[in-house]
Amino acid sequence: MKRLVIVALAMLSGVAALSVEARTLRYAIGHPPSSFVVDVAKQYAESVSELTEGDLKVRVFPMSLLNFAETSGGLRDGMADIGFVLTSYFPAEFPHSNVAVESSMLLGLLGDKVRGKEGMVFMGALSEFTFFHCPECNQEFAKQNQVYTGSTGGSSYGLVCNRPVESAADLSGMRLRVGAANWSRWTEAVGASPVTMSANEMYEALSQGVVGCIVLASPEIHNFGLADVVTDINMDVPGGPMPVAGTNINADTWKSLSPQQRTRMLRAASAFTAGIPWIYHQHEDRILSEAEQRGVKIHHADPDLVAKTNAFIEKDMDFIATDYEKRYNVSRGQEMIADFRELLEKWAGLVQSVDSEQQLADLYWNEIFSKVDVSKHGL
């Protein structure tokens, strides 16, 4: 009998161990399965498993469990444990977060020192800003039952078109598909008309001439299968990436993790934060070169359009602060933008010597993510 009890206890211990090892977190991401973003999400899943020695696993659900518009609410309600949250889709829920997000075109004012590194600069600055300089941002996530674990995004946005664009005159009266409010305002400032639509509708809209251009990062041509309908590209304007809270975690899920597991999740998140801008910048030139080989014309903005864009950026910073105060009671918008501009300058310097994805991930970890207090953050 004693032996049977020992065997039974051993079996129960094995079941308990298996249940811990088998815990799988559901990660909802709105991108198509073939996208570069999903490739990085799969690397993130592998990192979580390796860093937690199999205690936690992540199952990636690309464009299936929740789409972009559903992700924030679905994550809040526990339909997913981790979500790729585009805060720009939800201005009322995340107004403080979006003050920094909407200032992404500030990168254009930093000139050549950030060219080809825009995403790396911006995601470092935004992650540091949100973790340590914006308590209101974290409170907004908490109200949505989410815990912030870093921002990520790709390379700068330009004009992916079905006709040539080099000047403001070319843009006059044209309809542009935009995915964020700052690009919508720029569109109007240069005499064009902004159009909002789902990313899944971009192919049809461009192919049928519903829009003349889509404001988009060049690697998204691959991610959303637009190669067959793009005839002209100009990546000089408007500029700025589309940042997201890429690995937000359901607050109940986060609280159920041990402090060590939270630290490991942040370590994986730092690699994810680095992975997307890195892969986008690596593919940026290739995508444009391949497009040119297919007969797509690559254009450049004339000096007048560049000057108009730069003037718009400076003016728009004041607008963002005033608008968010008026609409969402964000009282310190000017202070936040000034603080964020300093962080952009800081990160423009920090990434200059980075020449590998691992170096970028280590930089993010050492400068930002390792400094998060997991005994307090999100609790």
PDB file of all heavy atoms in Angstrom, residues 125-151:
ATOM      1  N   ALA A 125      12.953  55.086 -28.080  1.00  0.00           N
ATOM      2  CA  ALA A 125      12.471  56.288 -27.399  1.00  0.00           C
ATOM      3  C   ALA A 125      11.059  56.090 -26.862  1.00  0.00           C
ATOM      4  O   ALA A 125      10.750  56.485 -25.721  1.00  0.00           O
ATOM      5  CB  ALA A 125      12.511  57.479 -28.360  1.00  0.00           C
ATOM      6  N   LEU A 126      10.189  55.481 -27.653  1.00  0.00           N
ATOM      7  CA  LEU A 126       8.792  55.321 -27.224  1.00  0.00           C
ATOM      8  C   LEU A 126       8.669  54.327 -26.072  1.00  0.00           C
ATOM      9  O   LEU A 126       7.875  54.541 -25.143  1.00  0.00           O
ATOM     10  CB  LEU A 126       7.929  54.881 -28.407  1.00  0.00           C
ATOM     11  CG  LEU A 126       6.427  54.770 -28.133  1.00  0.00           C
ATOM     12  CD1 LEU A 126       5.849  56.088 -27.632  1.00  0.00           C
ATOM     13  CD2 LEU A 126       5.683  54.306 -29.386  1.00  0.00           C
ATOM     14  N   SER A 127       9.442  53.258 -26.118  1.00  0.00           N
ATOM     15  CA  SER A 127       9.395  52.283 -25.024  1.00  0.00           C
ATOM     16  C   SER A 127       9.888  52.916 -23.728  1.00  0.00           C
ATOM     17  O   SER A 127       9.265  52.759 -22.667  1.00  0.00           O
ATOM     18  CB  SER A 127      10.234  51.049 -25.376  1.00  0.00           C
ATOM     19  OG  SER A 127       9.680  50.364 -26.484  1.00  0.00           O
ATOM     20  N   GLU A 128      11.009  53.631 -23.792  1.00  0.00           N
ATOM     21  CA  GLU A 128      11.523  54.293 -22.587  1.00  0.00           C
ATOM     22  C   GLU A 128      10.525  55.331 -22.079  1.00  0.00           C
ATOM     23  O   GLU A 128      10.269  55.432 -20.866  1.00  0.00           O
ATOM     24  CB  GLU A 128      12.873  54.948 -22.883  1.00  0.00           C
ATOM     25  CG  GLU A 128      13.461  55.630 -21.664  1.00  0.00           C
ATOM     26  CD  GLU A 128      14.868  56.159 -21.869  1.00  0.00           C
ATOM     27  OE1 GLU A 128      15.488  55.865 -22.920  1.00  0.00           O
ATOM     28  OE2 GLU A 128      15.355  56.885 -20.974  1.00  0.00           O
ATOM     29  N   PHE A 129       9.960  56.096 -22.991  1.00  0.00           N
ATOM     30  CA  PHE A 129       8.991  57.124 -22.616  1.00  0.00           C
ATOM     31  C   PHE A 129       7.793  56.508 -21.902  1.00  0.00           C
ATOM     32  O   PHE A 129       7.359  56.976 -20.849  1.00  0.00           O
ATOM     33  CB  PHE A 129       8.535  57.881 -23.861  1.00  0.00           C
ATOM     34  CG  PHE A 129       7.443  58.884 -23.611  1.00  0.00           C
ATOM     35  CD1 PHE A 129       7.743  60.149 -23.107  1.00  0.00           C
ATOM     36  CD2 PHE A 129       6.121  58.569 -23.865  1.00  0.00           C
ATOM     37  CE1 PHE A 129       6.737  61.074 -22.860  1.00  0.00           C
ATOM     38  CE2 PHE A 129       5.112  59.491 -23.631  1.00  0.00           C
ATOM     39  CZ  PHE A 129       5.423  60.748 -23.127  1.00  0.00           C
ATOM     40  N   THR A 130       7.246  55.441 -22.456  1.00  0.00           N
ATOM     41  CA  THR A 130       6.018  54.864 -21.913  1.00  0.00           C
ATOM     42  C   THR A 130       6.261  54.185 -20.575  1.00  0.00           C
ATOM     43  O   THR A 130       5.454  54.331 -19.638  1.00  0.00           O
ATOM     44  CB  THR A 130       5.400  53.877 -22.917  1.00  0.00           C
ATOM     45  OG1 THR A 130       5.244  54.522 -24.189  1.00  0.00           O
ATOM     46  CG2 THR A 130       4.038  53.397 -22.440  1.00  0.00           C
ATOM     47  N   PHE A 131       7.359  53.458 -20.455  1.00  0.00           N
ATOM     48  CA  PHE A 131       7.658  52.797 -19.185  1.00  0.00           C
ATOM     49  C   PHE A 131       7.921  53.797 -18.056  1.00  0.00           C
ATOM     50  O   PHE A 131       7.420  53.629 -16.951  1.00  0.00           O
ATOM     51  CB  PHE A 131       8.889  51.898 -19.331  1.00  0.00           C
ATOM     52  CG  PHE A 131       8.611  50.512 -19.847  1.00  0.00           C
ATOM     53  CD1 PHE A 131       9.288  50.026 -20.964  1.00  0.00           C
ATOM     54  CD2 PHE A 131       7.702  49.673 -19.210  1.00  0.00           C
ATOM     55  CE1 PHE A 131       9.058  48.739 -21.435  1.00  0.00           C
ATOM     56  CE2 PHE A 131       7.458  48.384 -19.673  1.00  0.00           C
ATOM     57  CZ  PHE A 131       8.141  47.925 -20.789  1.00  0.00           C
ATOM     58  N   PHE A 132       8.709  54.833 -18.342  1.00  0.00           N
ATOM     59  CA  PHE A 132       9.279  55.634 -17.260  1.00  0.00           C
ATOM     60  C   PHE A 132       8.890  57.117 -17.241  1.00  0.00           C
ATOM     61  O   PHE A 132       9.132  57.794 -16.254  1.00  0.00           O
ATOM     62  CB  PHE A 132      10.808  55.535 -17.307  1.00  0.00           C
ATOM     63  CG  PHE A 132      11.319  54.130 -17.268  1.00  0.00           C
ATOM     64  CD1 PHE A 132      12.113  53.639 -18.290  1.00  0.00           C
ATOM     65  CD2 PHE A 132      11.006  53.293 -16.215  1.00  0.00           C
ATOM     66  CE1 PHE A 132      12.589  52.330 -18.263  1.00  0.00           C
ATOM     67  CE2 PHE A 132      11.473  51.978 -16.182  1.00  0.00           C
ATOM     68  CZ  PHE A 132      12.261  51.500 -17.209  1.00  0.00           C
ATOM     69  N   HIS A 133       8.306  57.627 -18.323  1.00  0.00           N
ATOM     70  CA  HIS A 133       7.999  59.055 -18.393  1.00  0.00           C
ATOM     71  C   HIS A 133       6.513  59.341 -18.535  1.00  0.00           C
ATOM     72  O   HIS A 133       6.126  60.507 -18.602  1.00  0.00           O
ATOM     73  CB  HIS A 133       8.738  59.700 -19.578  1.00  0.00           C
ATOM     74  CG  HIS A 133      10.226  59.658 -19.456  1.00  0.00           C
ATOM     75  ND1 HIS A 133      10.983  60.749 -19.088  1.00  0.00           N
ATOM     76  CD2 HIS A 133      11.114  58.643 -19.658  1.00  0.00           C
ATOM     77  CE1 HIS A 133      12.267  60.417 -19.077  1.00  0.00           C
ATOM     78  NE2 HIS A 133      12.362  59.139 -19.410  1.00  0.00           N
ATOM     79  N   CYS A 134       5.700  58.302 -18.603  1.00  0.00           N
ATOM     80  CA  CYS A 134       4.277  58.520 -18.848  1.00  0.00           C
ATOM     81  C   CYS A 134       3.435  57.610 -17.960  1.00  0.00           C
ATOM     82  O   CYS A 134       2.890  56.603 -18.426  1.00  0.00           O
ATOM     83  CB  CYS A 134       3.953  58.290 -20.326  1.00  0.00           C
ATOM     84  SG  CYS A 134       2.248  58.715 -20.776  1.00  0.00           S
ATOM     85  N   PRO A 135       3.302  57.947 -16.685  1.00  0.00           N
ATOM     86  CA  PRO A 135       2.441  57.129 -15.821  1.00  0.00           C
ATOM     87  C   PRO A 135       0.998  57.085 -16.310  1.00  0.00           C
ATOM     88  O   PRO A 135       0.302  56.080 -16.135  1.00  0.00           O
ATOM     89  CB  PRO A 135       2.547  57.826 -14.455  1.00  0.00           C
ATOM     90  CG  PRO A 135       3.067  59.200 -14.744  1.00  0.00           C
ATOM     91  CD  PRO A 135       3.929  59.067 -15.956  1.00  0.00           C
ATOM     92  N   GLU A 136       0.572  58.173 -16.961  1.00  0.00           N
ATOM     93  CA  GLU A 136      -0.801  58.196 -17.497  1.00  0.00           C
ATOM     94  C   GLU A 136      -0.987  57.124 -18.568  1.00  0.00           C
ATOM     95  O   GLU A 136      -2.082  56.549 -18.690  1.00  0.00           O
ATOM     96  CB  GLU A 136      -1.126  59.569 -18.090  1.00  0.00           C
ATOM     97  CG  GLU A 136      -0.974  60.729 -17.116  1.00  0.00           C
ATOM     98  CD  GLU A 136       0.370  61.432 -17.270  1.00  0.00           C
ATOM     99  OE1 GLU A 136       1.361  60.746 -17.637  1.00  0.00           O
ATOM    100  OE2 GLU A 136       0.425  62.647 -17.027  1.00  0.00           O
ATOM    101  N   CYS A 137       0.043  56.877 -19.356  1.00  0.00           N
ATOM    102  CA  CYS A 137      -0.040  55.842 -20.399  1.00  0.00           C
ATOM    103  C   CYS A 137      -0.312  54.482 -19.768  1.00  0.00           C
ATOM    104  O   CYS A 137      -1.182  53.719 -20.215  1.00  0.00           O
ATOM    105  CB  CYS A 137       1.252  55.780 -21.210  1.00  0.00           C
ATOM    106  SG  CYS A 137       1.651  57.285 -22.136  1.00  0.00           S
ATOM    107  N   ASN A 138       0.430  54.159 -18.715  1.00  0.00           N
ATOM    108  CA  ASN A 138       0.260  52.864 -18.057  1.00  0.00           C
ATOM    109  C   ASN A 138      -1.082  52.764 -17.354  1.00  0.00           C
ATOM    110  O   ASN A 138      -1.674  51.681 -17.281  1.00  0.00           O
ATOM    111  CB  ASN A 138       1.421  52.630 -17.090  1.00  0.00           C
ATOM    112  CG  ASN A 138       2.724  52.358 -17.828  1.00  0.00           C
ATOM    113  OD1 ASN A 138       2.950  51.263 -18.330  1.00  0.00           O
ATOM    114  ND2 ASN A 138       3.577  53.369 -17.926  1.00  0.00           N
ATOM    115  N   GLN A 139      -1.587  53.886 -16.865  1.00  0.00           N
ATOM    116  CA  GLN A 139      -2.922  53.891 -16.265  1.00  0.00           C
ATOM    117  C   GLN A 139      -3.989  53.605 -17.325  1.00  0.00           C
ATOM    118  O   GLN A 139      -4.987  52.916 -17.053  1.00  0.00           O
ATOM    119  CB  GLN A 139      -3.180  55.231 -15.586  1.00  0.00           C
ATOM    120  CG  GLN A 139      -2.354  55.452 -14.324  1.00  0.00           C
ATOM    121  CD  GLN A 139      -2.320  56.905 -13.873  1.00  0.00           C
ATOM    122  OE1 GLN A 139      -3.084  57.741 -14.371  1.00  0.00           O
ATOM    123  NE2 GLN A 139      -1.440  57.218 -12.943  1.00  0.00           N
ATOM    124  N   GLU A 140      -3.783  54.141 -18.531  1.00  0.00           N
ATOM    125  CA  GLU A 140      -4.725  53.876 -19.626  1.00  0.00           C
ATOM    126  C   GLU A 140      -4.748  52.397 -19.978  1.00  0.00           C
ATOM    127  O   GLU A 140      -5.831  51.816 -20.183  1.00  0.00           O
ATOM    128  CB  GLU A 140      -4.330  54.692 -20.859  1.00  0.00           C
ATOM    129  CG  GLU A 140      -4.591  56.177 -20.725  1.00  0.00           C
ATOM    130  CD  GLU A 140      -3.937  57.006 -21.822  1.00  0.00           C
ATOM    131  OE1 GLU A 140      -3.200  56.432 -22.661  1.00  0.00           O
ATOM    132  OE2 GLU A 140      -4.168  58.228 -21.836  1.00  0.00           O
ATOM    133  N   PHE A 141      -3.582  51.788 -20.043  1.00  0.00           N
ATOM    134  CA  PHE A 141      -3.538  50.356 -20.326  1.00  0.00           C
ATOM    135  C   PHE A 141      -4.217  49.568 -19.203  1.00  0.00           C
ATOM    136  O   PHE A 141      -4.954  48.609 -19.469  1.00  0.00           O
ATOM    137  CB  PHE A 141      -2.098  49.889 -20.518  1.00  0.00           C
ATOM    138  CG  PHE A 141      -1.463  50.374 -21.796  1.00  0.00           C
ATOM    139  CD1 PHE A 141      -0.307  51.127 -21.775  1.00  0.00           C
ATOM    140  CD2 PHE A 141      -2.034  50.077 -23.027  1.00  0.00           C
ATOM    141  CE1 PHE A 141       0.283  51.585 -22.954  1.00  0.00           C
ATOM    142  CE2 PHE A 141      -1.462  50.522 -24.212  1.00  0.00           C
ATOM    143  CZ  PHE A 141      -0.307  51.280 -24.178  1.00  0.00           C
ATOM    144  N   ALA A 142      -3.973  49.985 -17.957  1.00  0.00           N
ATOM    145  CA  ALA A 142      -4.585  49.285 -16.825  1.00  0.00           C
ATOM    146  C   ALA A 142      -6.112  49.339 -16.891  1.00  0.00           C
ATOM    147  O   ALA A 142      -6.795  48.359 -16.567  1.00  0.00           O
ATOM    148  CB  ALA A 142      -4.086  49.888 -15.511  1.00  0.00           C
ATOM    149  N   LYS A 143      -6.663  50.474 -17.329  1.00  0.00           N
ATOM    150  CA  LYS A 143      -8.121  50.602 -17.446  1.00  0.00           C
ATOM    151  C   LYS A 143      -8.685  49.638 -18.488  1.00  0.00           C
ATOM    152  O   LYS A 143      -9.863  49.268 -18.436  1.00  0.00           O
ATOM    153  CB  LYS A 143      -8.498  52.039 -17.819  1.00  0.00           C
ATOM    154  CG  LYS A 143      -8.361  53.022 -16.666  1.00  0.00           C
ATOM    155  CD  LYS A 143      -8.744  54.436 -17.101  1.00  0.00           C
ATOM    156  CE  LYS A 143      -8.590  55.421 -15.957  1.00  0.00           C
ATOM    157  NZ  LYS A 143      -8.906  56.807 -16.377  1.00  0.00           N
ATOM    158  N   GLN A 144      -7.839  49.241 -19.445  1.00  0.00           N
ATOM    159  CA  GLN A 144      -8.249  48.280 -20.470  1.00  0.00           C
ATOM    160  C   GLN A 144      -7.813  46.858 -20.101  1.00  0.00           C
ATOM    161  O   GLN A 144      -7.790  45.972 -20.960  1.00  0.00           O
ATOM    162  CB  GLN A 144      -7.661  48.679 -21.828  1.00  0.00           C
ATOM    163  CG  GLN A 144      -8.125  50.029 -22.328  1.00  0.00           C
ATOM    164  CD  GLN A 144      -9.626  50.127 -22.460  1.00  0.00           C
ATOM    165  OE1 GLN A 144     -10.278  49.216 -22.977  1.00  0.00           O
ATOM    166  NE2 GLN A 144     -10.205  51.234 -21.981  1.00  0.00           N
ATOM    167  N   ASN A 145      -7.465  46.664 -18.809  1.00  0.00           N
ATOM    168  CA  ASN A 145      -7.051  45.353 -18.304  1.00  0.00           C
ATOM    169  C   ASN A 145      -5.844  44.805 -19.067  1.00  0.00           C
ATOM    170  O   ASN A 145      -5.751  43.619 -19.359  1.00  0.00           O
ATOM    171  CB  ASN A 145      -8.215  44.344 -18.376  1.00  0.00           C
ATOM    172  CG  ASN A 145      -8.019  43.166 -17.443  1.00  0.00           C
ATOM    173  OD1 ASN A 145      -7.494  43.322 -16.346  1.00  0.00           O
ATOM    174  ND2 ASN A 145      -8.426  41.984 -17.880  1.00  0.00           N
ATOM    175  N   GLN A 146      -4.920  45.715 -19.385  1.00  0.00           N
ATOM    176  CA  GLN A 146      -3.715  45.349 -20.126  1.00  0.00           C
ATOM    177  C   GLN A 146      -2.477  45.843 -19.380  1.00  0.00           C
ATOM    178  O   GLN A 146      -2.537  46.813 -18.630  1.00  0.00           O
ATOM    179  CB  GLN A 146      -3.726  45.974 -21.525  1.00  0.00           C
ATOM    180  CG  GLN A 146      -4.891  45.561 -22.405  1.00  0.00           C
ATOM    181  CD  GLN A 146      -4.921  46.320 -23.712  1.00  0.00           C
ATOM    182  OE1 GLN A 146      -3.890  46.756 -24.220  1.00  0.00           O
ATOM    183  NE2 GLN A 146      -6.113  46.482 -24.278  1.00  0.00           N
ATOM    184  N   VAL A 147      -1.365  45.168 -19.630  1.00  0.00           N
ATOM    185  CA  VAL A 147      -0.071  45.588 -19.095  1.00  0.00           C
ATOM    186  C   VAL A 147       0.860  45.843 -20.264  1.00  0.00           C
ATOM    187  O   VAL A 147       1.024  44.993 -21.148  1.00  0.00           O
ATOM    188  CB  VAL A 147       0.528  44.515 -18.166  1.00  0.00           C
ATOM    189  CG1 VAL A 147       1.913  44.942 -17.671  1.00  0.00           C
ATOM    190  CG2 VAL A 147      -0.396  44.265 -16.983  1.00  0.00           C
ATOM    191  N   TYR A 148       1.445  47.022 -20.269  1.00  0.00           N
ATOM    192  CA  TYR A 148       2.364  47.430 -21.332  1.00  0.00           C
ATOM    193  C   TYR A 148       3.706  46.729 -21.158  1.00  0.00           C
ATOM    194  O   TYR A 148       4.280  46.719 -20.064  1.00  0.00           O
ATOM    195  CB  TYR A 148       2.548  48.941 -21.271  1.00  0.00           C
ATOM    196  CG  TYR A 148       3.572  49.498 -22.242  1.00  0.00           C
ATOM    197  CD1 TYR A 148       3.241  49.726 -23.566  1.00  0.00           C
ATOM    198  CD2 TYR A 148       4.867  49.804 -21.807  1.00  0.00           C
ATOM    199  CE1 TYR A 148       4.172  50.238 -24.456  1.00  0.00           C
ATOM    200  CE2 TYR A 148       5.806  50.328 -22.680  1.00  0.00           C
ATOM    201  CZ  TYR A 148       5.450  50.538 -24.009  1.00  0.00           C
ATOM    202  OH  TYR A 148       6.376  51.046 -24.883  1.00  0.00           O
ATOM    203  N   THR A 149       4.227  46.145 -22.262  1.00  0.00           N
ATOM    204  CA  THR A 149       5.547  45.505 -22.215  1.00  0.00           C
ATOM    205  C   THR A 149       6.426  45.914 -23.397  1.00  0.00           C
ATOM    206  O   THR A 149       7.297  45.158 -23.819  1.00  0.00           O
ATOM    207  CB  THR A 149       5.431  43.968 -22.156  1.00  0.00           C
ATOM    208  OG1 THR A 149       4.793  43.485 -23.340  1.00  0.00           O
ATOM    209  CG2 THR A 149       4.665  43.509 -20.939  1.00  0.00           C
ATOM    210  N   GLY A 150       6.207  47.115 -23.918  1.00  0.00           N
ATOM    211  CA  GLY A 150       7.097  47.626 -24.963  1.00  0.00           C
ATOM    212  C   GLY A 150       6.376  48.004 -26.240  1.00  0.00           C
ATOM    213  O   GLY A 150       5.297  47.483 -26.540  1.00  0.00           O
ATOM    214  N   SER A 151       6.996  48.933 -26.974  1.00  0.00           N
ATOM    215  CA  SER A 151       6.461  49.383 -28.274  1.00  0.00           C
ATOM    216  C   SER A 151       7.373  48.912 -29.400  1.00  0.00           C
ATOM    217  O   SER A 151       8.594  48.808 -29.230  1.00  0.00           O
ATOM    218  CB  SER A 151       6.377  50.911 -28.316  1.00  0.00           C
ATOM    219  OG  SER A 151       5.458  51.385 -27.366  1.00  0.00           O
TER     220      SER A 151
END
